[in-house]
Amino acid sequence: MASIFSRIVAGEIPSWKVAEDERYYAFLDINPLAEGHTLVIPKKEVDYIFDLDAETYAGLWQFAGRVAKAVREAVPCKRVGVAVLGMEVPHAHIHLVPLQSEADLDFRKEKKQLSPERFAEIAAAIAAAFNKQ
Ligand code: AMP
């Protein structure tokens, strides 16, 4: 069965998309640690990030770097933090989290509650920054 992220890529499940190319897709995390928390995935469905073939793996990080620049431009933050967990969704993904401090990358803390309008606003701002690169 396709992963929830493959179903997002296929358009079967909605997402707050921020960037896409032929091989990669980036969208807002629905339970964000901070405004602008973004997930970057390969469209190719592989569970564990370190099982990706070398080309897809390298391309994923390159694409994530471009998305991180757009996140930083669109969302006020000191840095964009990076995490790879994969404890919940078995489809390789990179978390990009706008940081004001180290504590913002604590996945045990309570997630932000955002309105659909706010998600849409943030996604549009990141997408605009990405598209003008
Ligand atoms: P992990 O697999 O541990 O890296 O966690 C999966 C992440 O995906 C969590 O931060 C979830 O909030 C996020 N997530 C799960 N389903 C969705 C979805 N449909 N849209 C956006 N983010 C999701």
Side-chain angles (χ1 to χ4, degrees):
M1 207 178 84
S3 76
I4 188 162
F5 290 172
S6 286
R7 297 184 65 205
I8 283 176
V9 171
E12 294 167 16
I13 293 178
S15 69
W16 305 106
K17 180 170 102 170
V18 305
E20 179 177 19
D21 74 2
E22 276 171 26
R23 298 195 301 155
Y24 305 102
Y25 191 93
F27 56 106
L28 296 182
D29 193 304
I30 207 165
N31 293 305
L33 284 171
E35 288 199 351
H37 181 168
T38 296
L39 302 175
V40 186
I41 66 170
K43 291 184 176 177
K44 180 195 264 189
E45 184 178 329
V46 171
D47 174 358
Y48 189 44
I49 192 166
F50 299 115
D51 286 335
L52 287 170
D53 64 85
E55 196 200 334
T56 306
Y57 177 82
L60 176 65
W61 284 103
Q62 196 171 36
F63 190 79
R66 292 177 56 207
V67 175
K69 284 187 183 137
V71 169
R72 194 173 187 206
E73 203 176 314
V75 181
C77 62
K78 287 195 176 145
R79 299 264 167 166
V80 173
V82 175
V84 174
L85 287 85
M87 303 304 288
E88 187 187 317
V89 178
H91 184 141
H93 54 280
I94 296 171
H95 292 259
L96 300 176
V97 184
L99 303 179
Q100 295 301 341
S101 80
E102 187 181 308
D104 294 334
L105 206 50
D106 181 354
F107 279 80
R108 292 165 302 187
K109 80 176 190 185
E110 203 178 326
K111 307 300 185 292
K112 290 253 183 295
Q113 301 284 332
L114 304 178
S115 67
E117 293 74 21
R118 188 65 187 140
F119 272 114
E121 225 168 64
I122 297 165
I126 299 171
F130 184 84
N131 290 328
K132 75 176 169 69
Q133 280 176 0

